[in-house]
Amino acid sequence: MSGKTEAPLIIQVMSASVAIANRAGSIIRDIMKAGDLGVVLKNQREDDPQTEADRKAQRCIVSSLQNRFPGITVIGEEDLKETATDLIELGDSEEVLKRSCPDDLKSVVLEDIVVWVDPVDGTKEYTQGYLDHVTVLIGVAVKGESVGGVIHQPYYNYQTPGAPMGRTMYGIVGLGCFGFTHKELPQSERVITTTRSHGTKAVQETIDAMCPTEVLRVGGAGHKVLLCLEGRASAYIFASPGCKKWDTCAPEALLKAAGGKLRMLHGNRYRYDKDIKRQNTGGVIAAYEQHEFYLSKVPQSIKDALPA
């Protein structure tokens, strides 16, 4: 019997998701290299583009997961109906398959799982050449709780000649978070990362309340959480109802697996059940450590303006 069939279901899904995310990253790079991004505007909004990379990468991810795990619930950002048998990835991550499954996840069955997919997190940055901001996000929720996540950076090392392109990080709550190195910021520094293109007065007021020494305005929720995981940012703050479940499911899982937190600005947890509303109306506050400190600094007026 193979290691794959012996592994608990959650390990199998995470193993497949790592391999599928790598394949999606290759698709994203190939489309950029070909030179025709196939940009369309969703809802006729200039700040919400969709590219051929979004469409093709999502077809790859969704079709691959549904092929590997018939009946699994997968929710992607893009509104696509068709599948793509030619894009199905059948590989696994041997590294993930060798991991020990946390006891509380060993009995998970397919009906418990919802997978949230953002095929190109940071699409606007992708079209504008900020390639290090771009990630592929695959988040695995069990009974509404984010428990597993994959973040793939297709363009990691893209400005370093001869370096291998791309990297993949993953985490399982109760097991750990893998694929990156965390370095502590000096105690004198408080670096806040936030939206690059969706800033509001409320966002700025909340950031100011943190008294940061530096503010990093970058694209992509996955990229922002990676900055926290690596220790290049102290916290990710977004005092707005703008992001969606596919933006946060995977990043939240990695943060939780590493000992951090991602919550609404009220401090409540997000849910990832299949029938839940897609929008994260309570904003986002995420940190690798000292999450309660940042939560305590959110002005009450900002909390009052956001749903709990």
Side-chain angles (χ1 to χ4, degrees):
M1 186 177 287
S2 71
K4 176 187 171 184
T5 54
E6 291 174 353
L9 178 62
I10 198 73
I11 295 293
Q12 292 186 44
V13 172
M14 287 296 298
S15 167
S17 294
V18 167
I20 293 165
N22 290 336
R23 173 74 177 277
S26 296
I27 289 169
I28 292 165
R29 290 192 298 267
D30 288 346
I31 289 171
M32 174 65 74
K33 188 175 181 180
D36 183 6
L37 299 186
V39 178
V40 297
L41 300 180
K42 294 190 287 186
N43 302 312
Q44 302 302 309
R45 288 171 48 190
E46 292 287 345
D47 64 344
D48 196 10
Q50 181 196 83
T51 69
E52 179 60 18
D54 294 270
R55 297 184 289 271
K56 194 170 182 179
Q58 179 165 306
R59 291 188 183 106
C60 167
I61 297 167
V62 174
S63 298
S64 297
L65 286 169
Q66 291 177 340
N67 177 269
R68 300 283 295 276
F69 308 99
I72 194 169
T73 299
V74 186
I75 301 173
E77 176 179 5
E78 311 306 335
D79 186 15
L80 304 174
K81 302 301 182 184
E82 63 271 32
T83 58
T85 56
D86 59 318
L87 297 174
I88 291 175
E89 172 59 51
L90 298 176
D92 277 290
S93 166
E94 293 301 322
E95 176 186 337
V96 177
L97 288 177
K98 292 176 183 177
R99 301 286 183 189
S100 297
C101 184
D103 289 341
D104 62 334
L105 296 176
K106 286 181 178 178
S107 61
V108 169
V109 296
L110 202 64
E111 292 74 18
D112 297 333
I113 296 175
V114 179
V115 182
W116 294 85
V117 173
D118 191 339
V120 183
D121 183 43
T123 298
K124 187 173 183 179
E125 285 69 30
Y126 179 66
T127 65
Q128 295 175 342
Y130 296 92
L131 300 180
D132 52 330
H133 296 200
V134 176
T135 60
V136 177
L137 304 179
I138 303 177
V140 180
V142 172
K143 296 181 179 179
E145 294 283 338
S146 177
V147 303
V150 179
I151 300 180
H152 174 74
Q153 279 187 300
Y155 289 100
Y156 182 72
N157 276 338
Y158 82 104
Q159 293 178 314
T160 304
M165 186 86 78
R167 66 168 173 170
T168 303
M169 293 130 289
Y170 67 94
I172 300 174
V173 177
L175 176 62
C177 199
F178 309 94
F180 66 95
T181 301
H182 178 78
K183 295 181 179 180
E184 296 288 339
L185 277 168
Q187 291 187 351
S188 60
E189 296 183 23
R190 184 176 300 150
V191 181
I192 302 298
T193 185
T194 192
T195 179
R196 172 177 168 263
S197 56
H198 296 92
T200 65
K201 182 180 178 181
V203 170
Q204 190 58 51
E205 183 180 341
T206 307
I207 291 170
D208 291 343
M210 310 288 173
C211 300
T213 58
E214 184 180 0
V215 178
L216 302 176
R217 301 183 188 279
V218 302
H223 179 49
K224 295 180 188 73
V225 168
L226 282 182
L227 294 178
C228 296
L229 287 168
E230 292 182 315
R232 291 189 283 160
S234 311
Y236 161 29
I237 308 295
F238 187 52
S240 170
C243 69
K244 309 294 195 304
K245 295 290 186 291
W246 43 72
D247 295 312
T248 57
C249 186
E252 180 179 350
L254 269 76
L255 260 182
K256 289 199 296 185
K261 293 180 182 178
L262 185 151
R263 299 283 176 87
M264 303 180 197
L265 268 71
H266 287 272
N268 299 343
R269 295 175 182 270
Y270 275 116
R271 298 282 305 178
Y272 298 95
D273 307 272
K274 66 180 179 180
D275 297 322
I276 205 161
K277 290 182 179 179
R278 309 310 194 221
Q279 191 171 29
N280 288 337
T281 56
V284 172
I285 183 165
Y288 182 88
E289 54 189 5
Q290 295 186 310
H291 187 271
E292 297 306 318
F293 167 80
Y294 293 103
L295 197 60
S296 72
K297 293 295 183 181
V298 179
Q300 188 61 46
S301 61
I302 300 296
K303 292 181 181 180
D304 291 344
L306 291 170

